[in-house]
């Protein structure tokens, strides 16, 4: 375990509440390794603990909850070190304020590594104050006192006192220096490591309002926003007066955009007494747009450009190492293949929405955002106000997957509310809005080549990747990392990239970049393994070699080959990989490994293929995310959800297409997701290693797609090199 590097502390306050409770407001700087993992984010974290009459405890859940379980797991860490029972705890969502709570973003699977020590230290500091208060009350040394279930006990005399009764004394004490705190040995954990249901689950099952779409304010108006069908078009004219005269309509206003998808494009907002009447009035809106600069963008055009680009060298080199030309010239065998994948939409079940109230030069917002501080800055800039004039209340998020790291809907709601000061405005996207105004996972094309020596060893690798970007800079999730597995394991490598122009804004979708790169790299390596007379796990183990550390992707952690080997060997045993030859004709198992977001996952998928239809029967997933699984129940759900989402991307027919700058998909019928009846049995096991815990929201997704297409090859002898899978198309 990496030690915390803490040399100072900041005491914010401890004070009595009405009724005898105690508010502990504890600020603890991030440990060095967590701060490095979240560069640019605040290094101070504040955890609130309220002690209530009846010896009950309210713990603040500071991060946005998108189903990843942070609202449960972070308070679990505090409760563990505070030494209270989980059934004594109530969790409340905090508002967004990084000056009080530290980083509150939810993305990149960074929450657990960032908060693992600070959250525990916050709980341990509060416990230390309880012990110090008891020692002062009884006039005894602290070293003879123990805690448990929110009670301090004196081992010598046997007397005990509840935390709530120590509140008046504890309120006068200083928060201890985090460096002086002794955290629990994991062997003594009573909350961490236990399968605990999500704190919001009962309310969700009961249909109680938790989500942004549920939010209501007295006197609230409902808004819809019409923008150019071709992303980025500018408003020329519209029949505003005609729409204003329609039943229920209270206001029709134009919004002048700044040309940035992250904030505002030109639009017409219709405000009405109900969403139904606002959206009905929208049907009568006739807007003319200047979309002349968007008309040339199309799916067909991208494919033609990519095919032409792949005929030659890349526009830029990402990585060149070794004498790549000599290695290929002297190769005993070469393998080449081209792979491609489409644009994808996030398709969150809860459409984008935000409620905003502008008054007295300030705005209050209720938003399902994964990245509130970015939204605060964008709103402040759009309205011309100071950031501290923007208050953001976090709501539960009905699906994010990276879409709500972008806060365009927040800026739009605030801009509309600023036109009707004093009136709350709720902006809600229709499903069509949501699909056409997404930040899409970018499409990509790859031309691979591998060189094998006389012993069947992979000695050279080339990849010319085509994706999207501008001025030589790839768009979000369009990067080709120099540390791509297996480029980091091969001595002679050439990675090149060519970037195409697009009007579609790109964004992060669960396991950004990796969700596509895992498919192309591991599916191609399966081809290489076959050419070498091996299976893919054997090739991977050969490439990994002895345990060692190699550079990771981008700003990420190092890649440890020993951890990769551990999950590969684990999943091979789980899935009876060696017995796969016993499967009947038309049935096969495929394997893949990937390292992303600091997590190591190897997966095996078993499929059958009949009359061109793929049925996935079972999936085995082995993961290494460090020394501790905070909440095993949620961890299981995260891996299962990742597997299901990955299979949906590959099999359900997801594909965003574009004609004349306009996205064609408008609903789930044209961009479907995995259904219950197509979901296989999913087996999950974790390999525990002596490394700091890492996040689980993303790393289990990338391997499932290549494992599945490799299984299709095992079952049919047919390679799948394009997504979504379509076995009716010519091979």
């Amino acid at each position: 375990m990496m030690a915390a590097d803490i040399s100072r502390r900041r005491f914010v306050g401890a004070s009595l509440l009405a009724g005898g409770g105690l508010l502990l407001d504890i600020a603890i700087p991030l440990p060095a390794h967590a701060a490095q993992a979240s560069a640019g984010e605040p290094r101070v974290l504040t955890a609130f603990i309220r002690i209530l009459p009846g010896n009950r405890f309210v713990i603040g859940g500071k991060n946005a909850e998108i189903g990843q379980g942070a609202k449960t797991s972070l308070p679990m860490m505090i409760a563990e070190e505070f030494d209270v029972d989980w059934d004594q705890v109530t969790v409340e969502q905090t508002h967004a304020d990084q000056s009080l709570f530290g980083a509150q973003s939810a993305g990149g699977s960074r929450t657990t590594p960032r908060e693992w020590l600070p959250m525990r230290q916050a709980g341990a500091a509060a416990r230390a104050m309880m012990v110090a208060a008891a020692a002062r009350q009884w006039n005894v040394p602290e070293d003879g006192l123990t805690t448990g279930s929110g009670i301090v006990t004196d081992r010598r005399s046997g007397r005990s006192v509840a935390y709530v009764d120590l509140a008046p004394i504890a309120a006068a004490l200083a928060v201890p220096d985090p460096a002086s705190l002794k955290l629990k040995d994991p062997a003594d954990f009573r909350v961490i490591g236990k399968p605990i249901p999500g704190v919001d689950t009962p309310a969700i099952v009961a249909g109680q309002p938790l989500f942004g779409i549920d939010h209501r304010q007295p006197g609230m108006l409902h808004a819809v926003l019409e923008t150019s069908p071709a992303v980025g078009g500018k408003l020329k004219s519209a029949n505003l007066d005609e729409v204003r005269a329609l039943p229920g309509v209270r206001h029709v206003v134009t919004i002048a955009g700044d040309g940035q998808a992250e904030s505002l494009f030109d639009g017409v907002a219709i405000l009405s007494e109900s969403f139904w009447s606002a959206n009905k009035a929208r049907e009568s809106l006739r807007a003319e747009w200047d979309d002349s600069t968007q008309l040339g963008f199309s799916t067909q055009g991208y494919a033609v450009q990519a095919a032409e680009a792949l005929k030659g060298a890349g526009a830029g080199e990402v990585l060149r190492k070794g004498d790549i030309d000599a290695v290929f010239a002297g190769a005993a065998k070469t393998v080449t293949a081209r792979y491609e994948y489409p644009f994808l939409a996030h398709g969150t079940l809860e459409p984008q929405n935000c409620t905003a109230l502008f008054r007295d030069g300030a705005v209050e917002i209720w938003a399902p955002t994964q990245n509130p501080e970015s939204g605060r800055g964008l709103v402040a800039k759009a309205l011309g106000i100071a950031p501290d004039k923007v208050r953001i209340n976090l709501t539960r998020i009905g699906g994010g997957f990276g879409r709500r790291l972008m806060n365009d809907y927040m800026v739009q709601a605030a801009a509309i509310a600023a036109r009707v000061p004093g009136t709350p405005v709720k902006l809600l996207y229709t499903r069509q809005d949501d699909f056409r105004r997404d930040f899409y996972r970018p499409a990509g094309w790859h031309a691979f080549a591998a060189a094998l020596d006389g012993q069947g060893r992979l000695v050279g690798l080339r990849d010319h990747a085509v994706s999207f970007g501008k001025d030589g800079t790839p768009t979000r999730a369009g990067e080709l990392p120099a540390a791509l597995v297996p480029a980091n394991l091969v001595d002679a490598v050439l990675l090149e990239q060519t970037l195409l122009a697009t009007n579609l804004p790109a964004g992060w979708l669960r396991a950004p970049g990796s969700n596509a790169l895992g498919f192309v790299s591991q599916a191609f390596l399966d081809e290489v393994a076959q050419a070498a007379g091996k299976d893919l796990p054997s090739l991977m183990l050969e490439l990994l070699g002895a345990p060692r550390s190699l550079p990771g992707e981008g700003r990420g952690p190092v890649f440890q080959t020993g951890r990769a080997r551990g999950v590969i060997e684990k999943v091979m045993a789980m899935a009876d990989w060696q017995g796969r030859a016993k499967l009947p004709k038309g049935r096969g198992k495929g394997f893949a490994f990937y390292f992303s977001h600091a997590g190591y996952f190897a997966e095996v998928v078993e499929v059958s293929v009949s009359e061109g239809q793929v049925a996935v029967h079972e999936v085995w997933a082995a993961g290494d995310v460090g020394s501790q699984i905070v909440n095993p129940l949620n961890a299981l759900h995260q891996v299962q959800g990742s597997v299901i989402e990955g299979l949906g991307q590959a099999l359900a027919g997801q594909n965003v297409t574009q004609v004349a700058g306009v996205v064609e998909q408008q609903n789930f019928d044209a961009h479907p997701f995995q259904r219950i009846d197509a979901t296989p049995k999913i087996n999950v096991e974790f390999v525990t290693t002596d490394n700091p815990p890492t996040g689980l929201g993303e790393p289990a997704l990338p391997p499932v797609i290549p494992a599945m297409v490799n299984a299709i090859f095992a079952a049919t002898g047919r390679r799948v090199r394009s997504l979504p899978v379509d076995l009716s198309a010519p091979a």
Side-chain angles (χ1 to χ4, degrees):
M1 180 70 66
M2 189 177 295
D5 179 16
I6 298 176
S7 59
R8 64 181 178 87
R9 63 184 173 86
R10 180 165 70 90
F11 171 62
V12 179
S15 56
L16 285 171
L17 294 173
L22 177 68
L23 171 65
L24 294 173
D25 183 356
I26 303 165
I28 298 177
L30 288 172
H33 76 277
Q36 292 167 0
S38 50
E41 294 175 331
R43 297 190 179 192
V44 64
L45 171 132
T46 307
F48 287 99
I49 302 173
R50 297 208 311 271
I51 305 176
L52 304 179
N55 212 35
R56 293 194 57 80
F57 312 96
V58 177
I59 298 179
K62 76 183 191 73
N63 272 37
E65 177 57 70
I66 50 176
Q68 87 284 31
K71 190 175 176 181
T72 303
S73 63
L74 298 190
M76 284 174 66
M77 298 176 195
I78 296 173
E80 181 65 72
E81 298 290 351
F82 192 32
D83 220 2
V84 298
D85 297 336
W86 189 248
D87 61 9
Q88 296 175 281
V89 171
T90 299
V91 176
E92 291 183 357
Q93 179 70 61
T94 72
H95 67 286
D97 188 340
Q98 67 177 2
S99 68
L100 293 177
F101 306 112
Q104 292 175 279
S105 62
S109 294
R110 292 200 299 267
T111 296
T112 296
R114 184 178 63 209
E115 310 295 354
W116 171 243
L117 288 180
M119 290 283 90
R120 292 174 62 202
Q121 288 168 333
R127 173 189 172 276
M129 294 174 71
M130 296 298 109
V131 171
R136 181 171 296 191
Q137 176 172 295
W138 292 330
N139 194 27
V140 298
E142 292 183 18
D143 60 7
L145 305 182
T146 61
T147 60
S149 301
I151 294 172
V152 181
T153 300
D154 184 353
R155 288 197 305 263
R156 302 176 184 86
S157 65
R159 58 188 166 179
S160 61
V161 59
Y163 284 1
V164 66
D165 297 323
L166 294 170
I169 300 174
L173 301 177
V175 178
D177 187 335
S180 70
L181 300 172
K182 182 179 180 180
L183 300 179
K184 282 187 178 182
D185 187 304
D188 297 326
F189 285 166
R190 295 186 302 115
V191 178
I192 292 175
K194 300 299 183 290
I196 294 177
V199 295
D200 285 341
T201 300
I204 292 171
V205 172
Q208 296 177 10
L210 287 172
F211 300 89
I213 199 171
D214 299 323
H215 188 73
R216 299 287 186 273
Q217 285 285 304
M220 182 178 77
L221 293 180
H222 297 260
V224 296
L225 180 65
E226 179 78 357
T227 61
S228 172
V231 179
K234 296 181 179 299
L235 181 65
K236 294 173 65 177
S237 64
N239 58 332
L240 305 183
D241 290 337
E242 182 180 335
V243 177
R244 288 188 182 105
L246 294 173
V249 174
R250 295 278 296 276
H251 304 277
V252 179
V253 298
T254 58
I255 301 297
D258 59 8
Q260 301 299 314
E262 295 83 354
S263 49
L264 289 169
F265 285 133
D266 282 11
V268 177
I270 302 171
L271 287 74
S272 189
E273 298 165 358
S274 70
F275 173 76
W276 186 90
S277 59
N279 203 44
K280 187 67 176 175
R282 185 182 187 178
E283 297 176 3
S284 299
L285 179 66
R286 294 190 299 277
E288 184 181 359
W289 307 93
D290 179 1
D291 56 7
S292 56
T293 60
Q294 286 77 37
L295 295 177
F297 296 111
S298 70
T299 299
Q300 183 177 6
Y302 299 143
V304 171
Q305 293 176 65
E308 185 63 28
L310 291 177
K311 292 178 181 178
E317 290 186 0
V318 174
L319 173 67
R320 178 186 285 269
K321 64 176 180 176
D323 192 340
I324 188 72
D325 294 332
V327 167
F328 269 85
K333 183 182 292 187
T334 60
V335 183
T336 61
R338 290 190 179 183
Y339 281 80
E340 63 183 79
Y341 43 85
F343 281 98
L344 291 179
H346 293 81
T348 60
L349 185 60
E350 177 193 25
Q352 312 317 307
N353 65 87
C354 180
T355 302
L357 172 60
F358 183 86
R359 60 186 172 191
D360 301 327
V363 64
E364 183 167 11
I365 287 170
W366 295 263
T369 173
Q370 293 180 242
N371 195 6
E373 289 306 321
S374 172
R376 186 191 309 278
L378 289 169
V379 168
K381 181 179 179 181
L383 300 189
I385 60 178
D388 62 5
K389 296 295 185 181
V390 181
R391 178 182 171 88
I392 302 173
N393 303 289
L394 299 174
T395 66
R396 174 111 186 177
I397 301 173
F401 315 112
R403 169 61 178 93
R404 287 176 160 104
L405 288 167
M406 317 308 296
N407 290 288
D408 50 314
Y409 53 93
M410 186 189 296
V411 182
Q412 293 158 9
I416 297 169
R419 301 292 295 274
V420 288
T423 301
V425 173
K426 180 177 184 177
L427 172 66
L428 176 62
Y429 280 23
T430 65
R431 187 64 65 195
Q432 291 76 14
D433 293 335
D434 216 21
F435 270 94
R436 288 189 167 183
R437 297 185 201 160
D438 205 342
F439 289 78
Y440 307 93
R441 194 284 302 275
W445 298 260
H446 292 254
F448 284 105
L452 299 172
D453 67 10
Q455 288 73 49
R457 293 175 300 199
L458 177 60
V459 292
L461 177 70
R462 287 176 174 152
D463 179 18
H464 179 181
V466 176
S467 191
F468 296 86
K470 185 177 181 180
D471 299 328
T473 300
T475 191
R476 297 183 189 92
E479 301 88 353
L480 179 65
L484 174 73
V485 177
N488 58 345
L489 303 171
V490 180
D491 290 335
V493 177
L494 175 60
L495 301 181
E496 303 173 282
Q497 190 166 36
T498 298
L499 302 176
L500 308 180
T502 180
N503 69 321
L504 293 185
W508 298 287
L509 187 149
R510 194 175 194 173
S514 301
N515 52 43
L517 296 174
F519 158 57
V520 298
S521 61
Q522 287 286 297
F524 176 64
L525 274 191
D526 197 61
E527 298 195 49
V528 175
Q530 182 197 18
K534 306 168 185 176
D535 61 14
L536 181 52
S538 298
L539 176 62
M540 284 301 306
L541 291 173
E542 179 181 285
L543 288 169
L544 290 168
R548 63 197 190 281
S549 295
L550 299 171
E553 294 186 6
R555 64 177 183 173
V558 297
F559 175 68
Q560 299 178 41
T561 62
R563 298 178 72 181
R565 177 177 292 274
V567 296
I568 290 172
E569 292 174 343
K570 179 69 172 178
V571 84
M572 290 172 69
M574 290 170 60
D576 185 24
W577 179 254
Q578 301 305 330
R580 67 192 184 284
K582 300 175 185 178
L583 292 171
K585 184 178 180 180
R587 201 171 180 114
K589 287 181 179 177
F591 163 91
F593 162 83
Y594 209 71
F595 169 66
S596 73
H597 299 81
Y600 299 75
F601 270 86
E603 299 177 18
V604 171
V605 175
E606 182 175 332
V607 308
S608 65
V609 181
S610 178
E611 297 181 352
Q613 298 300 308
V614 179
V616 181
H617 299 285
E618 196 161 1
V619 176
W620 296 265
D624 176 355
V625 289
S627 60
Q628 180 67 57
I629 303 298
V630 176
N631 185 346
L633 180 62
N634 186 62
L636 173 65
H637 293 166
Q638 289 304 300
V639 177
Q640 290 174 330
S642 293
V643 167
I644 292 168
E645 185 167 354
L647 291 175
Q649 291 175 8
L651 288 174
Q654 294 181 22
N655 189 356
V656 167
T657 55
Q658 187 183 15
V659 174
V662 179
V663 169
E664 294 185 290
Q665 287 68 26
Q666 299 187 50
N667 215 317
F668 292 130
D669 62 329
H671 195 279
F673 286 79
Q674 192 79 345
R675 304 299 292 267
I676 292 175
D677 60 1
T679 298
K681 179 181 180 182
I682 304 170
N683 309 279
V684 181
E685 294 190 29
F686 292 99
V687 177
T688 302
T689 56
D690 188 21
N691 294 279
T694 55
L696 257 176
E698 293 162 297
L701 190 155
V704 73
I705 300 175
M708 187 270 298
V709 301
N710 293 342
I712 291 174
F713 173 77
T716 67
R718 177 172 176 175
R719 290 291 178 187
V720 174
R721 300 189 179 99
S722 177
L723 296 181
V725 174
D726 181 6
L727 297 186
S728 66

